[in-house]
Amino acid sequence: MRLKSVLVLFLLLLTSICLADAVETTIDINAAVTVNTFRPFNIFGNNVNGWSNPVPLKDKIQGAGNFILRYPGGSWGDSFFWNGNGDYDASGNWVASETEYTNSKTMKDNGMLYDAAKIIDGKDETAWRSNADTDFPKAQWVYVDLNNKRMPDKVVITWGDKTNKEYPYAKRFSVQYWDTKEPRQWMPYGAPNNAWLDTSAKNLTSTGGTQEISFEPVEAHYVRILMTESSAGKNGTYSMASIKVYEDGKELEIKDNNAIVASSCNSACELGDRQIFGFDDYMKFMKSFEPKAEPLIIVNVGSGTPQLASSWVKYANITKKYGIKYWEIGNENGGQWEVGGPMNYYDYTRKFIKLYEAMKAADPSITIIAQGQFDGNSQNFDGVPLIKAIADRLAKEKKVKYLSGGIVTHQYPSWGSTVEAVLASPEKNFDDMDKAIKEQLKGYPELANIPVWITEFNSEGNLKPRNISTRLDNALFIANYIAEFIKHFGSRGHTNMWDTINGGDALTNVNGGDHGYLQADDGPYKNQERATYWAMKMLTNYWSKSGDTEVHKLVDTKSSEKFLAAYTDLKPDGSLSLIVVNKDPKAPYKTTVSVAGYKAASEAKVYSFDKSNYDWKTDNAPYHADPDNAPSESTIGNAGAKFEYTFQPYSITVISMKKAE
């Protein structure tokens, strides 16, 4: 008895210490005040892709409440050819059959016949060719990344006519360099301000062939050839077979294909068979969901054509009667990593118009969505924000209504930031997004409430002190991020997380990551759920309602503590559900929850997810989660108008309340 008494006293003492350490906070809910409305079906989307077959995991994906699934997967969208049945036209573009189908194809590695990488492949028999489909024929360019600040003083250019006498060259051009005083020394094409400076070799002429150009030495990280007149005449294109950059007589090494960037590329390409999950496979998969899942298709604008896009719509909705509603034109087309990129957004919008009209001709009922990064710029060094650049270009042709289907943004916050900063970012992030979109579209009142799509989001891999994509931290971020998005954009909002099954180096690299919420790689942990999977399930199954198309109300909820993010859903069935994300890695929060405008019963269901449910282990490879358990379920009997609950460190908690009888 003495031992038992001592143990009881010890436990009481331990409990009192824990409670003493708990920070006292308040959460105030006013169910009578609606902040926004939303439909869970639209909000909780995800991505699937052609390189990871999701079919065996359909039940898990459906269990996570994801019913709008984007395909064929990120940058594959601009190298994807929906139909392998077809042929190349005289320009080397793929013309797909509108009615007959064989399995989808993707571009071969280095499948662009004229991409910028041809300039540094060491072969004069291959060449880059610019795209004739541009608003800027007199300002095409190629730049070289020297990998660090150097003092270049000479370039040797072999123009494309050395490869083929029919290829055009730059009849007039200048050698430029990026100002090293400019703070942005990464991907200068995406910079808002023009920091290209002329070297002493400016406004030069050429007759083609190989040309050696010396200039006064300059400190430079990037060297650019700006081409302003084509040998092919007015509005002609340009071609270059090779470029070499020298410093004091020594040729500088150009590291890899990412070190050479061109303003545009002829879109002719070669197709391969890398996919394992073609378009008809995808549609069969989508139709297997209950309720039926909704496709979101990425249409190839980077290496595709209006014919390719319209034939896809015709085959899908007329021939097969799939009834696909949502079509997104392109993927991150401003990026140099994208096939057909970097693409300035005046050129993107002109291509968008062509695809839009061809697709609508095939099926007028579809919804077409444009790329439109809210914090991007036109990428034409004119200071015009990206969404405004698109709207202005559409307005020029009296086609602003083409943007009514919505605009897309992708987010992976925040490059080089800290885990703590990323966890704190959602509220300010969406404040900024909301303000930026309103400001950029203020001249177009008909677009004031257009849909906002985030078709890719997750944490950024380059965080300090660790990549969090497979860790508990990321579950907290995802839950907070989606709920905050609902608060700002509600029923006009759509999100698609990146992604269901992805692959990465998380199993073998201590600092590695993988944005899939299910493990893709073969081995003992194949298909294992990641923390983000459980976060999604907390949102869809416990906080809101999985796959629901009815309108839910996000009601006024205020937290007194910055580490506690709190959101409340008043559901169509009359129940009230509070989700709380405790972003403090150490402190529990003893919280007084007050509920006004709603008479809650004293008994409530609680679902919790914290480090006792999930922990990412890196003791021995393959690294994995242990434990990896579904959210814990319990019941409390002290709910009602005011009650206390302690939210554990680094946790997601849902308290589901019903009306008192």
Side-chain angles (χ1 to χ4, degrees), residues 67 153 169 296 413 444 448 521 533 536 552 627 660:
F67 289 92
D153 54 13
Y169 56 87
L296 169 58
Y444 304 100
D521 300 304
Y533 178 87
M536 185 68 76
H552 291 228

Side-chain angles (χ1 to χ4, degrees), residues 348-367:
Y348 167 81
T349 308
R350 193 190 59 264
K351 295 173 190 285
F352 171 84
I353 291 169
K354 292 179 180 178
L355 269 68
Y356 183 102
E357 293 176 347
M359 293 163 67
K360 282 283 190 176
D363 182 356
S365 72
I366 62 176
T367 296

